[in-house]
Amino acid sequence: MRTLIKGGTVLSTTGGVLADVLVTDERVTAVTEPGEFETADTVLDATGKYVLPGGIDAHTHMEMPFGGTFSADTFETGTTAAAWGGTTTIIDFAVQAKGTSLLSTLDKWHEKADGNCAIDYGFHMIVSDVNDGTLKEMETCVGAGVSSFKMFMAYPGVFYSTDGEILRAMRKATETGAMIMMHAENGIAIDELVAQALADGRTDPVQHGYTRPSALEGEATSRAIALAGVTGAPLYIVHLSAAEALSAVAEARDDGRNVFAETCPQYLYLSIEDLARPGFEGAKYVASPPLREKRHQADLWRGLRTNDLSVVSTDHCPFCFKDQKELGRGDFSKIPNGMPGVEHRMDLLHQGVVAGEISLGRWVEACSTTPARMFGLYPRKGVIAPGSDADIVIYDPAARQTLSAETHHMAVDYSAYEGFEITGKVETVLSRGKVVVSPDGFAGGAGHGNFLSRDLCQYLN
Ligand SMILES: [Zn+2]
C-alpha cells in the first residue's frame, strides 16, 4: 500500500522545502523532488499546504484520578481529539498512588490504554512514594520503555516528595540514565497561603492564582536544579509558567547543565484575568501552576525562541465545568486542577508563527521533533524522513477556524479558548501511514494506536 503526498511544503526544524513524500505501509520511504513519483495507491494533493511531522504531546492526563474524580477524557476520546488537532503521539502519565508499586501502576495504565488509543502512546511514571522498592522498580520501568519519572514539590500529602526523597530518586536516575521531570512549586508554602485565604473567607477561583505566586515556582525550580546538580541527574521542568522559573532554567543552561523545560499554550495565551472571570467562571481556568499575569507571556515566547523552553506540551487534564469543577464552588482549593487542550496545541502554536513570535521550523521543533528526542522516540517519530513512522499532518496555513466547545472533540463541556480565531487548520492526518483524519471527517479508530517503548533521552548521549 503506497500513499503519495504531492505538492506540499515539507517542514522540519530548519523550515520548509517543496517536496513529495512517499509512504509505504506504515513508514515514510522517500522524500523527493516534486513530481519524481507520479502515482501510488492513494495520492493526497498538498498543494499550498504544509506537510509536517505529527505532533507529539509529551504531557497528557487521560482518565487521571484527582481529588475523588477522574479527568473527563478517556484514552479513546482524548487520543481521538489529539488526532483531530494534528497530534499523533501522546506521552501520558501513569500515576503511582501512595502504598502501591510502580510496576502494578504501569500494568494498570497499560490496561486502561491498550486497545483504546487512536494514535500511538507512551507513558511517563509519576513517583509519589519513594522507598527502596520503588527505587529498584525504576530500573525495571526503564527496561519496559518508561524512561522518565515525574515528581512533585507541590501537593503535600498526595504526590509531594521531600527534598531527600527527590535526591534519592535523582541518584537512581543518574545510575539508569532516566529523566526526572519536576512539578516545581513550593507546595508547603502554598498550602499555608491556601489555609490563610480560606480562613479569611477568600474562596473564589482567582484565589487559586493568588495563593500560588510565581516566586514560589521560581524558588522550587531553583531548588530542583540544585538537587539535580548535586546528583548529576538530568532534569526536565514540566509546565513552566513563570519568568522567575525561566530565569533559573536559563542560568543553569548557560552553565552547561542538562536542564530542560516545557511550557504550555495556556501560559502563552491565557492569564490570571481569566481566573478572575466573574462568578464561578474562573474555575474553568484552574490548573497548577496557575495562569499568571500577562507580563510573563513575552518572557515565555522569548524562552521558546532561545531554546530555554524547548518543548510545548498541553498538560491536558480536562474536568467538566458542570459536574466536576463544581466540586470547588465556595472553596477554590477543591476545584479539580486541570484544563483541556490536547486538540489545540498545534493550532495555538501556529498562531505564534503567524504573529512572528517563532519560526515555522521552531513550531515543528517545539511541538514534534524535540519531544521525540527528549523522550527517546527519534527518528521513529518527530521527523519526515525515510524509515520514520508515517505520522504526517497536512496543514492548511490559510484556513480560518474559531475554537469552541460546540465543535471540539474533547469530552469536556467547555473550551478554555472559546471564541479564539485561528489562522490555519489541520486538513489530513496520517498515523503510521493510515489516514485517521481527512477533510471528510474522522477515519481512525480506537485500537489503532500502539504502545511506544521509549529509549533514554537523546540529548544526553
Ligand atoms: Zn500534568
Side-chain angles (χ1 to χ4, degrees):
M1 171 72 185
R2 299 202 317 166
T3 304
L4 181 60
I5 303 171
K6 280 181 83 151
T9 301
V10 176
L11 302 187
S12 70
T13 60
T14 51
V17 55
L18 280 175
D20 293 349
V21 179
L22 185 69
V23 172
T24 307
D25 299 325
E26 298 199 344
R27 300 256 170 116
V28 174
T29 40
V31 180
T32 69
E33 297 270 320
E36 193 162 319
F37 292 94
E38 293 280 298
T39 185
D41 301 302
T42 306
V43 177
L44 301 171
D45 180 8
T47 306
K49 314 283 161 63
Y50 296 146
V51 178
L52 62 143
I56 298 174
D57 192 338
H59 191 152
T60 67
H61 300 282
M62 308 301 175
E63 303 176 40
M64 191 194 82
F66 189 94
T69 186
F70 287 85
S71 59
D73 265 314
T74 62
F75 278 92
E76 179 173 352
T77 63
T79 56
T80 301
W84 273 105
T87 286
T88 52
T89 299
I90 61 163
I91 311 179
D92 205 90
F93 289 85
V95 187
Q96 181 197 26
K98 282 215 193 291
T100 66
S101 76
L102 295 186
L103 295 180
S104 65
T105 301
L106 188 56
D107 286 346
K108 216 183 197 173
W109 256 261
H110 273 303
E111 240 167 75
K112 288 191 200 210
D114 186 25
N116 294 320
C117 293
I119 54 170
D120 290 350
Y121 61 97
F123 292 126
H124 311 285
M125 177 63 69
I126 286 178
V127 179
S128 60
D129 198 346
V130 176
N131 55 54
D132 291 346
T134 306
L135 292 169
K136 187 89 196 121
E137 283 182 314
M138 283 173 70
E139 295 168 22
T140 318
C141 286
V142 171
V146 176
S147 54
S148 39
F149 300 86
K150 183 180 177 190
M151 304 189 79
F152 288 78
M153 304 169 100
Y155 303 122
V158 189
F159 298 130
Y160 176 81
S161 290
T162 65
D163 290 354
E165 288 165 342
I166 290 168
L167 201 84
R168 293 185 72 192
M170 283 178 165
R171 278 211 194 101
K172 181 54 81 175
T174 309
E175 262 174 60
T176 55
M179 179 70 87
I180 295 291
M181 309 169 78
M182 192 62 73
H183 181 131
E185 284 187 294
N186 184 329
I188 300 287
I190 286 167
D191 272 14
E192 191 53 39
L193 294 175
V194 169
Q196 276 171 21
L198 292 174
D200 295 348
R202 291 181 279 125
T203 61
D204 288 344
V206 72
Q207 296 298 329
H208 176 77
Y210 294 153
T211 56
R212 307 182 85 95
S214 58
L216 294 183
E217 184 184 338
E219 181 277 326
T221 303
S222 297
R223 184 155 39 97
I225 290 169
L227 292 169
V230 168
T231 57
L235 178 66
Y236 180 94
I237 303 290
V238 292
H239 48 47
L240 188 149
S241 73
E244 295 92 325
L246 180 61
S247 299
V249 168
E251 193 186 335
R253 290 178 62 81
D254 288 348
D255 285 348
R257 298 273 308 281
N258 283 317
V259 172
F260 309 94
E262 68 177 15
T263 190
C264 312
Q266 56 268 34
Y267 304 118
L268 295 165
Y269 287 102
L270 304 173
S271 77
I272 196 161
E273 290 169 26
D274 293 296
L275 259 181
R277 287 186 187 208
F280 192 58
E281 186 85 2
K284 293 176 178 175
Y285 301 92
V286 167
S288 294
L291 300 180
R292 302 296 184 190
E293 289 162 42
K294 280 196 174 140
R295 68 181 169 86
H296 294 269
Q297 293 173 356
D299 290 300
L300 297 181
W301 282 113
R302 190 197 68 233
L304 273 178
R305 287 191 293 273
T306 59
N307 204 36
D308 289 324
L309 296 171
S310 48
V311 172
V312 178
S313 308
T314 60
D315 196 10
H316 175 76
C317 193
F319 294 101
C320 287
F321 184 59
K322 275 213 185 80
D323 26 86
Q324 296 186 294
K325 291 286 186 178
E326 196 61 30
L327 295 168
R329 196 181 277 275
D331 178 350
F332 69 91
S333 72
K334 296 203 166 63
I335 299 169
N337 281 208
M339 287 170 51
V342 75
E343 188 170 348
H344 301 317
R345 183 181 60 125
M346 302 303 284
D347 283 329
L348 286 165
L349 267 291
H350 183 250
Q351 301 319 289
V353 178
V354 172
E357 294 282 3
I358 54 173
S359 67
L360 262 183
R362 193 64 188 145
W363 177 44
V364 171
E365 194 166 32
C367 293
S368 180
T369 312
T370 298
R373 296 182 67 187
M374 189 69 70
F375 297 110
L377 291 169
Y378 190 87
R380 184 170 169 192
K381 306 291 190 189
V383 63
I384 296 177
S388 296
D389 281 355
D391 288 3
I392 297 172
V393 176
I394 302 177
Y395 194 84
D396 181 350
R400 308 271 303 169
Q401 55 169 324
T402 305
L403 303 185
S404 172
E406 309 263 299
T407 47
H408 75 202
H409 303 86
M410 301 175 284
V412 61
D413 62 355
Y414 75 95
S415 172
Y417 304 98
E418 188 67 41
F420 266 54
E421 308 251 351
I422 299 284
T423 301
K425 195 175 194 303
V426 168
E427 186 186 277
T428 301
V429 179
L430 280 74
S431 167
R432 295 196 331 275
K434 178 180 164 48
V435 172
V436 293
V437 174
S438 82
D440 298 329
F442 188 67
H448 169 75
N450 288 341
F451 171 69
L452 297 166
S453 180
R454 295 183 293 111
D455 295 330
L456 299 177
C457 171
Q458 293 160 323
Y459 287 102
L460 301 175
N461 304 306

